Amino acid sequence: ILNTGHAGVLLVERRGSYPLIDLRILKTSAQQGEVESGTRRKVKRLLSFQRYCHASRLLRGLVPHTPGSLHLLDDDYLGQAAHMLSKVGTWNFDIFLFDRLTNGNSLVTLMCHLFNVYGLIHHFQLDMVKLHRFLGMVQEDYHSQNPYHNAVHAADVTQAMYCYLKEPKLAEQLSPLDVFLGLMAAAAHDVDHPGVNQPFLIKTRHHLASLYQNTSVLESHHWRSTVGMLRESGLLSHLPADISQDMEQQLGSLILATDISRQNEFLLTFREHLDNQDLDLQLASHRHFILQIALKCADVCNPCRVWELSRQWSERVCEEFYRQGDLERKFDLEISPLCNQQADSVPAIQIGFISYIVEPLFEEWHRFTEPSPLSQTMMGHLHKNKARWSRLRYAHTPSETETTSLYKLILQQSLNSNLVCL
Ligand SMILES: [Zn+2]
């Protein structure tokens, strides 16, 4: 039933984020009696491709593929996709269009291209078959039925990461290993994301929550899944064990940095370095820190994109929040902050997100990269988009105080209590 590609059932079995909800735990007053038989099917349907088609595809303005004619267009599509790749370093790059032109293979196509651009295959003596196998697994293990946390988000973050790696301040200092890890972390940073956040996994007593002791649950899972796929594909198996283990650790450190509840920790350290002007990019540890910051920026850069792209991401992320809210409502759980479609409007959520998460981070990134035309462009979009959401908010029922106070709360929270996991 689930849209899992040709791997079908096997893929569902490999995914660690299944089953999403243990129905034995969630017997609630409204559900009792039908839980064992009927609800299992209903939940499956709720998360299924059908619902994805109805709610999300329409939202995204996509039309279902017509199987008969598609293959005739493939060459033309791929020609256009190849043309787009020649502009992969531009900030206006339309990843949605690229994903359609590559027939849903944006992540694999983009990564192969960037590995070629940087000569990483030659440098690390990578086996092309293994590389394809690894990237294919990563792309497949993203849930295409998630409106936001899917392989297109991963491709988008990878494309942004590439733009940041090209920043003059950074580019000359980076080693092939830095570039390799930066791109790999970007591509895999949300792999097998279940489309719900950490508090949801904790309160439904998901096995991942206890496995990772309620701390950076999703990020830990993204990392360990990546390590599993690296080993399964044998991509790094020709390297000495200590080298490949170090790569796995560094990937973990990068992916774990995307835990938004650790935002303050990173922001304060970054600010301190900039104030003291003591960043030395000759040092591997300092370059690693900047890669962490770059990945964090790439992960939340949606509001820094041109409005037409930015708006689509906003609608998708809110749709994913609302779906979690729908699930919580259905199972008589408390509806999580930002997940109530009636109370939390898209503009209100976006304004909070921009004010408390995105703006503070990109102000420092701007300071670090200065003088950078890209940072200037991003700050321009950021301010314009925020103003646009502000105007739109007054067309909706405002819930400003609730939403912004939530983001304040997130920033005050320490490690083990994150509320939103992007
Ligand atoms: Zn992400």
Side-chain angles (χ1 to χ4, degrees), residues 27 30 40 45 105 116 131 135 165 185 272 331 390 420:
K27 270 187 198 168
R40 189 179 295 271
R45 204 185 55 213
N105 286 301
N116 275 313
L131 178 64
L135 293 174
L165 296 179
E272 213 171 276
F331 288 100
S390 295
V420 180

Side-chain angles (χ1 to χ4, degrees), residues 3-109:
N3 176 35
T4 49
H6 62 268
V9 176
L10 281 173
L11 181 59
V12 172
E13 281 172 1
R14 193 174 75 220
R15 280 180 177 170
S17 63
Y18 279 96
L20 187 57
I21 299 173
D22 187 339
L23 294 162
R24 288 164 304 174
I25 292 167
L26 292 174
K27 270 187 198 168
T28 60
S29 53
Q31 308 293 334
Q32 252 160 16
E34 62 156 336
V35 168
E36 293 302 333
S37 56
T39 315
R40 189 179 295 271
R41 199 165 4 103
K42 277 188 198 162
V43 173
K44 246 189 171 171
R45 204 185 55 213
L46 194 70
L47 297 168
S48 77
F49 183 61
Q50 269 182 322
R51 187 186 146 103
Y52 169 67
C53 272
H54 288 138
S56 186
R57 292 215 150 210
L58 288 175
L59 188 79
R60 291 155 57 191
L62 287 179
V63 280
H65 296 308
T66 39
S69 60
L70 191 67
H71 68 281
L72 294 171
L73 297 168
D74 267 357
D75 283 350
D76 187 34
Y77 280 10
L78 290 175
Q80 291 180 58
H83 176 69
M84 281 190 79
L85 278 177
S86 66
K87 297 175 188 168
V88 68
T90 59
W91 193 243
N92 285 343
F93 190 82
D94 185 343
I95 198 73
F96 299 112
L97 175 61
F98 185 68
D99 192 61
R100 288 194 292 269
L101 292 175
T102 56
N103 204 13
N105 286 301
S106 53
L107 186 58
V108 172
T109 316

Side-chain angles (χ1 to χ4, degrees), residues 72-313:
L72 294 171
L73 297 168
D74 267 357
D75 283 350
D76 187 34
Y77 280 10
L78 290 175
Q80 291 180 58
H83 176 69
M84 281 190 79
L85 278 177
S86 66
K87 297 175 188 168
V88 68
T90 59
W91 193 243
N92 285 343
F93 190 82
D94 185 343
I95 198 73
F96 299 112
L97 175 61
F98 185 68
D99 192 61
R100 288 194 292 269
L101 292 175
T102 56
N103 204 13
N105 286 301
S106 53
L107 186 58
V108 172
T109 316
L110 181 65
M111 280 293 277
C112 283
H113 176 75
L114 296 178
F115 269 47
N116 275 313
V117 166
Y118 280 111
L120 295 174
I121 295 157
H122 176 76
H123 184 89
F124 291 103
Q125 292 291 297
L126 300 176
D127 179 330
M128 280 301 285
V129 175
K130 289 177 180 174
L131 178 64
H132 265 272
R133 201 158 154 250
F134 170 76
L135 293 174
M137 282 195 274
V138 172
Q139 184 177 273
E140 284 259 281
D141 270 13
Y142 278 95
H143 301 200
S144 58
Q145 65 270 40
N146 287 346
Y148 186 85
H149 288 105
N150 51 45
V152 188
H153 166 62
D156 181 55
V157 171
T158 305
Q159 192 270 338
M161 191 68 173
Y162 173 59
C163 293
Y164 301 159
L165 296 179
K166 284 200 310 142
E167 281 286 359
K169 265 267 166 64
L170 207 51
E172 297 132 44
Q173 315 280 344
L174 292 175
S175 69
L177 179 60
D178 296 328
V179 173
F180 175 80
L181 294 172
L183 295 175
M184 290 281 275
H189 83 282
D190 272 330
V191 74
D192 197 27
H193 195 297
V196 293
N197 63 15
Q198 172 174 296
F200 184 92
L201 296 178
I202 292 173
K203 70 185 172 191
T204 57
R205 286 180 261 165
H206 194 279
H207 71 95
L208 288 176
S210 52
L211 178 61
Y212 297 114
Q213 299 176 357
N214 298 350
T215 305
S216 297
V217 172
L218 285 164
E219 294 76 17
S220 301
H221 178 58
H222 304 318
W223 170 41
R224 295 315 303 178
S225 302
T226 307
V227 168
M229 289 183 281
L230 274 174
R231 295 183 185 179
E232 196 182 327
S233 66
L235 182 64
L236 306 177
S237 62
H238 61 295
L239 300 173
D242 57 328
I243 304 264
S244 60
Q245 270 166 29
D246 175 61
M247 286 171 148
E248 290 176 0
Q249 288 303 316
Q250 289 206 55
L251 274 179
S253 163
L254 292 173
I255 292 173
L256 288 171
T258 62
D259 182 345
I260 211 88
S261 72
R262 292 175 65 196
Q263 171 90 348
N264 255 354
E265 172 194 331
F266 281 99
L267 197 57
L268 290 177
T269 310
F270 194 26
R271 208 170 270 156
E272 213 171 276
H273 278 308
L274 295 175
D275 288 345
N276 300 336
Q277 298 184 309
D278 63 359
L279 278 169
D280 177 5
L281 296 181
Q282 309 270 26
L283 296 173
S285 61
H286 283 198
R287 292 200 306 278
H288 182 79
F289 176 72
I290 292 302
L291 285 179
Q292 287 177 314
I293 298 289
L295 181 59
K296 287 174 65 55
C297 287
D299 195 23
V300 299
C301 76
N302 295 159
C304 301
R305 298 278 190 180
V306 64
W307 169 257
E308 210 31 61
L309 298 172
S310 182
R311 181 190 57 81
Q312 291 185 63
W313 289 119

